[in-house]
């Protein structure tokens, strides 16, 4: 264990740690909601504060911070890729291997308790309490059966303003996912199936976009699309959708590229040999074979876009408020009750999406 | 059915010349194999005929159609060539049933459904898969999948069938029986076949003629027995069957084993330093007398024969004696050899 397994796993463990570090460092929503009451600031929240100041100095300072954040994130990611790249990590192999099951013996129960405790503290208790809160008739009264009902849901569900945000998020998610999936198909096909020079450049750009912290993307889009360079998308749907595309296309490109690379070239050649032209070959052979991954790719863009906060918060306009932004506002106004109802709605939609995703990818992909 | 003409075809990948001045006419209804070691350019040649690679230079004709010409700059894409192809990796579509796989070329040709079903069933009977139409490929064995691929390649009645090492993924027993099935189908349909393999046994057993390739260059084209008995050069002699090479010297119509007075008829035009080649089964071995003296160093039991390694001067000579008793000649024994059908090549 100490001599073989751990050294073998070391790169993966380190990479996992780095990924968590990058994700945590780029995260805005959680530190801002949890930290603001205590005036704890991290890089991302400071960037937002600067942007909200609205003047030139604010934009300048936030850009400087954002650039350094992006620099740190990308350096770490490159380091990680280099480390993983030194060994041949094959992710797709034709043969399936059975994972080695370790007998824990007398450690079984302690291990079970530790994992269970973590699960309870990190996932079950917070989520459970959100669900519970959403059904509490009165927040100030104790939790009893008489205090539980669907009453808190009624104002939320009937509120035109709330429902508009939910609807906005669904629509933006669907648009981003649909455009993103088509783009991903194109990028993946280019990288995997063609011999064109520079075929993997779009793929690389997508990866860079995905590994850039959300807050940096939002800031970059504000600077680019607020009219300075001819195109003014500020306060429109499209700037939000572009931000989702930049951030979330990586996963769908990866998923579709993996599926495409498993379609052996001879399967296509057999179709051509049967008299089918290229289009017919795509329609009859390639598309049916990669369909599950394409649909999975769609959900991989839809779901994070649906509950996205950081970029939406910086990019929304009066007509384009999303569910994430609404939730953030409710939380900052200390409207816990309505916030938890909305959270449960988000949770439900994301859980359903994840179930579909899991079914399609046979348990390999999920968010 | 189609004649295939390949004239002065070259294929270069960057600085690598995969196929170098390939010339071949495959007659209508003929079965021709392209044989050679891995990487010698067999697949590339076949893919140029099929239209998956474009020849850097030269012309290819299938029947009356010029499908590829570097001079005219013309090139017919694969779907516009009247060809059926069987791939090494089967290339059976996993999301279609056996019948859908086989019927696909007809569907593309817009053959109506009833006619299509009839012809698919006919093809499936031909490859002995009559009962399997409704199954999916993952429910079939490798041999059965390859027969589906064969049926799919033949169903549209193309003029030419190309096969790229179709049996190399099958186990030895199945390979033998599939050889006969392919031959039987060719006899029934009369189709022209170009068959790529690195297995000389396969090429010899199945073909009307064999094209031996090495490093992109055609070494010899001929009927199997010609290739075996009169190989054009050392490479062909070495690649087809077993052979012993020894240094020699050619003088006029005799060739002498180096460092000895033993000589054989020189059937070639080689003079001076030469290579003498003799197949193990053309050597007779005796304990009493013969032209060449040697000493047995190893014996290998082959079941129907015994292979001896005999040291003759500096050479290690392989001798195969049919029906020999392993224990009749011990290691270290002094033996006499006689060579028959000696071949002479440039050194
Ligand atoms: N697409 C390609 N790009 C570059 N080199 C290739 C390509 N296809 C084949 N080659 C080279 O051409 C030579 C012949 O290959 P191939 O025709 O596949 O040989 P064979 O089928 O006889 O094993 C090899 O050296 C191979 O590396
Ligand atoms: Mg090959």
């Amino acid at each position: 264990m100490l001599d073989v397994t751990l050294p073998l796993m070391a790169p993966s463990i380190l990479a996992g740690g780095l990924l968590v570090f990058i994700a945590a460092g780029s995260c805005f929503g959680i530190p801002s909601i949890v930290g603001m009451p205590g005036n704890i600031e991290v890089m991302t929240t400071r960037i937002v504060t600067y942007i909200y100041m609205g003047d030139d100095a604010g934009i300048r300072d936030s850009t400087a911070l954002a650039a350094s954040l992006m620099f740190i994130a990308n350096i770490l990611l490159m380091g990680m890729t280099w480390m993983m790249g030194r060994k041949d990590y094959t992710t797709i192999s034709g043969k399936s291997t059975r994972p080695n099951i370790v007998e824990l013996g007398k450690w079984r129960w302690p291990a079970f308790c530790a994992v269970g405790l973590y699960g309870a503290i990190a996932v079950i208790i917070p989520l459970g309490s959100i669900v519970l809160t959403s059904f509490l008739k009165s927040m100030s009264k104790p939790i009893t059966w008489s205090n539980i009902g669907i009453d808190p849901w009624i104002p939320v569900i009937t509120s035109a303003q709330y429902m508009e945000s939910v609807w906005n998020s669904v629509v933006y998610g669907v648009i981003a996912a649909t455009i993103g999936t088509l783009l991903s198909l194109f990028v993946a096909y280019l990288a995997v199936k063609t011999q064109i020079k520079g075929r993997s450049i779009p793929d690389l750009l997508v990866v860079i976009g995905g590994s850039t912290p959300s807050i940096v993307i939002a800031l970059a889009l504000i600077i680019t699309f607020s009219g300075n360079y001819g195109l003014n998308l500020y306060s429109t749907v499209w700037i939000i959708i572009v931000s989702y595309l930049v951030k979330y296309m990586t996963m769908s490109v990866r998923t579709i590229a993996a599926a495409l690379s498993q379609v052996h070239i001879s399967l296509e050649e057999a179709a051509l040999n049967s008299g089918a032209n290229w289009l017919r070959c795509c329609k009859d052979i390639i598309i049916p074979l990669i369909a599950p991954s394409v649909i999975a790719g769609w959900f991989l863009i839809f779901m994070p876009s649906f509950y996205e906060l950081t970029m939406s918060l910086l990019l929304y306009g009066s007509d384009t408020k999303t569910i994430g932004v609404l939730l953030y506002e409710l939380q900052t106004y200390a409207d816990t009750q309505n916030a938890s109802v909305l959270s449960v709605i988000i949770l439900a939609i994301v859980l359903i999406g994840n179930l579909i995703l899991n079914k399609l990818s046979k348990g390999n992909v999920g968010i | 059915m189609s004649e295939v003409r390949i004239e002065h075809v070259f294929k270069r990948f960057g600085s690598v010349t995969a196929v170098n001045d390939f010339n071949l006419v495959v007659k209508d209804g003929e079965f021709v194999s392209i044989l050679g070691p891995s990487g010698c350019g067999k697949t590339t040649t076949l893919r140029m005929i099929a239209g998956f690679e474009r020849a850097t230079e030269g012309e290819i004709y299938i029947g009356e159609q010029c499908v590829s010409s570097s001079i005219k700059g013309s090139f017919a894409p694969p779907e516009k060539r009247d060809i059926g192809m069987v791939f090494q990796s089967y290339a059976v579509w996993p999301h279609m049933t056996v019948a859908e796989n086989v019927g696909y070329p007809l569907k593309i040709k817009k053959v109506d459904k009833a006619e299509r079903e009839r012809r698919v069933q006919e093809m499936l009977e031909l490859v002995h898969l009559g009962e399997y139409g409704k199954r999916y490929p993952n429910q079939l064995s490798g041999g059965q999948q390859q027969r589906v691929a064969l049926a799919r390649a033949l169903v549209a009645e193309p003029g030419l069938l190309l096969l790229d090492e179709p049996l190399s993924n099958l186990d030895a027993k199945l390979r033998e029986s599939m050889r006969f099935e392919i031959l039987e189908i060719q006899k029934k349909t009369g189709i022209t076949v170009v068959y790529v393999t690195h297995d000389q046994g396969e090429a010899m057993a199945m073909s009307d003629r064999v094209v031996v390739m090495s490093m992109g260059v055609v070494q010899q084209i001929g009927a199997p027995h010609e290739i075996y008995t009169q190989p054009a050069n050392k490479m062909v002699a070495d690649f087809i069957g077993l052979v012993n090479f020894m240094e020699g010297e050619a003088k006029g119509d005799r060739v002498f084993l180096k460092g000895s007075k033993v000589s054989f008829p020189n059937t070639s035009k080689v003079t001076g330093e030469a290579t003498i080649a003799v197949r193990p089964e053309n050597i007779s071995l005796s304990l009493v007398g013969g032209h060449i003296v040697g000493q047995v160093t190893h014996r290998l039991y082959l079941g129907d024969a015994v292979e001896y390694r005999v040291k003759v001067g500096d050479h290690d000579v392989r001798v195969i004696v049919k029906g020999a008793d392993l224990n009749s000649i011990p290691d270290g024994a002094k033996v006499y050899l006689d060579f028959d059908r000696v071949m002479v090549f440039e050194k």
Side-chain angles (χ1 to χ4, degrees), chain A residues 308-353:
Chain A
E308 207 283 331
L309 168 62
T310 316
M311 298 183 297
S312 315
L313 193 61
L314 290 171
L315 299 173
Y316 82 96
S318 49
D319 299 333
T320 56
K321 192 183 281 183
T322 65
I323 196 168
V325 175
L326 179 66
L327 192 60
Y328 182 77
E329 284 180 0
L330 292 177
Q331 192 63 36
T332 22
Y333 304 154
D335 191 347
T336 317
Q337 183 85 65
N338 286 347
S340 48
V341 173
L342 271 180
S343 305
V344 175
I345 296 178
I346 298 181
L347 259 180
I349 293 181
V350 171
L351 272 181
I352 293 170

Side-chain angles (χ1 to χ4, degrees), chain B residues 39 42-44 88 164-165 196:
Chain B
K42 309 179 295 288
T43 298
T44 307
Q88 181 171 7
D164 189 358
E165 313 218 10
V196 160

Side-chain angles (χ1 to χ4, degrees), chain B residues 239-250:
Chain B
F239 193 71
I240 311 282
L242 296 173
V243 71
N244 293 295
F245 288 119
M246 282 156 282
E247 288 170 59
E249 196 172 359

Side-chain angles (χ1 to χ4, degrees), chain A residues 18-357:
Chain A
L18 275 179
L19 264 186
V20 172
F21 181 81
I22 296 168
S26 321
C27 180
F28 164 72
I30 295 173
S32 114
I33 290 179
V34 179
M36 255 177 198
N39 270 331
I40 301 169
E41 289 240 23
V42 295
M43 261 174 120
T44 52
T45 56
R46 182 60 65 88
I47 295 175
V48 173
T49 317
Y50 282 151
I51 295 177
Y52 276 172
M53 282 165 27
D55 54 10
D56 282 354
I59 293 284
R60 195 191 56 231
D61 291 349
S62 56
T63 313
L65 265 184
S68 28
L69 185 58
M70 177 165 172
F71 183 71
I72 296 172
N74 276 320
I75 290 285
L76 286 176
L77 265 180
M78 268 158 56
M80 194 176 80
T81 316
W82 174 76
M83 209 162 55
M84 299 289 283
R86 275 190 308 170
K87 305 219 182 77
D88 257 356
Y89 285 93
T90 337
T91 41
I92 318 157
S93 76
K95 291 178 198 132
S96 52
T97 47
R98 207 182 293 265
N100 245 331
I101 311 264
V102 177
E103 275 299 333
L104 286 175
K106 67 175 180 202
W107 289 101
R108 200 172 140 188
W109 287 108
F112 178 80
C113 289
V115 173
L117 196 66
Y118 171 78
I121 292 175
V123 184
I124 297 174
I125 293 178
L127 293 190
S129 58
I130 285 184
V131 176
L132 193 61
T133 312
S134 79
F135 287 103
L136 281 185
K137 286 178 187 165
S138 167
M139 290 278 295
S140 49
K141 290 193 188 127
I143 302 168
T144 57
W145 281 117
S146 59
N147 193 19
I148 289 178
I150 59 160
D151 310 38
W153 280 67
I154 293 167
V156 174
I157 293 178
T158 54
S159 154
Q161 187 208 346
Y162 289 4
M163 281 305 115
E164 195 194 329
S165 298
V166 175
W167 180 242
N168 279 349
S169 281
V170 172
V171 172
Y172 303 168
V174 168
I175 296 177
T178 308
I179 298 177
T181 307
L182 290 176
L183 282 176
S184 302
L185 262 172
F186 181 72
V187 170
Y189 189 89
L190 204 64
V192 175
K193 290 283 180 195
T194 68
Q195 304 289 331
I196 300 166
K197 269 214 178 76
R199 60 186 175 275
S200 52
I201 291 175
D203 188 14
L204 187 71
L205 292 178
V206 166
V207 171
I208 292 176
S211 63
T212 304
S214 303
I215 201 138
V216 180
I217 296 175
L219 190 56
L221 289 179
I222 291 174
I223 295 171
T224 317
F225 291 129
S226 51
N228 300 347
Y229 296 94
L231 199 57
N232 195 346
L233 295 178
Y234 200 58
S235 282
T236 68
V237 195
W238 296 108
I239 196 164
I240 297 181
I241 287 172
V242 169
S243 73
Y244 294 170
L245 288 177
V246 173
K247 183 70 189 166
Y248 298 124
M249 258 177 62
T250 321
M251 291 278 273
S252 71
V253 169
R254 284 279 76 73
T255 308
I256 294 173
L260 268 179
S261 63
Q262 281 176 320
V263 178
H264 196 274
I265 181 80
S266 66
L267 292 179
E268 294 163 55
E269 289 178 344
L272 297 180
N273 184 250
S274 302
N277 57 26
W278 182 80
L279 265 182
R280 194 72 203 263
C281 168
C282 283
K283 173 178 153 280
D284 292 343
I285 311 298
I286 301 180
I287 298 285
L289 286 176
I290 64 169
S293 302
V294 174
I295 299 172
W298 191 92
F299 276 98
L300 283 172
I301 300 177
F302 173 77
M303 287 197 295
S305 301
F306 175 72
Y307 59 73
E308 207 283 331
L309 168 62
T310 316
M311 298 183 297
S312 315
L313 193 61
L314 290 171
L315 299 173
Y316 82 96
S318 49
D319 299 333
T320 56
K321 192 183 281 183
T322 65
I323 196 168
V325 175
L326 179 66
L327 192 60
Y328 182 77
E329 284 180 0
L330 292 177
Q331 192 63 36
T332 22
Y333 304 154
D335 191 347
T336 317
Q337 183 85 65
N338 286 347
S340 48
V341 173
L342 271 180
S343 305
V344 175
I345 296 178
I346 298 181
L347 259 180
I349 293 181
V350 171
L351 272 181
I352 293 170
N354 237 326
L355 278 179
I356 300 176
L357 198 56

Side-chain angles (χ1 to χ4, degrees), chain B residues 22 24 36 46 61 70 93 96 124 138 159 213 215 238 247 277:
Chain B
F22 195 101
L24 175 69
L46 205 69
Y61 298 84
S70 60
W93 301 304
M96 296 186 191
L124 288 178
N138 62 7
M213 278 182 90
M215 307 210 290
D238 196 19
E247 288 170 59

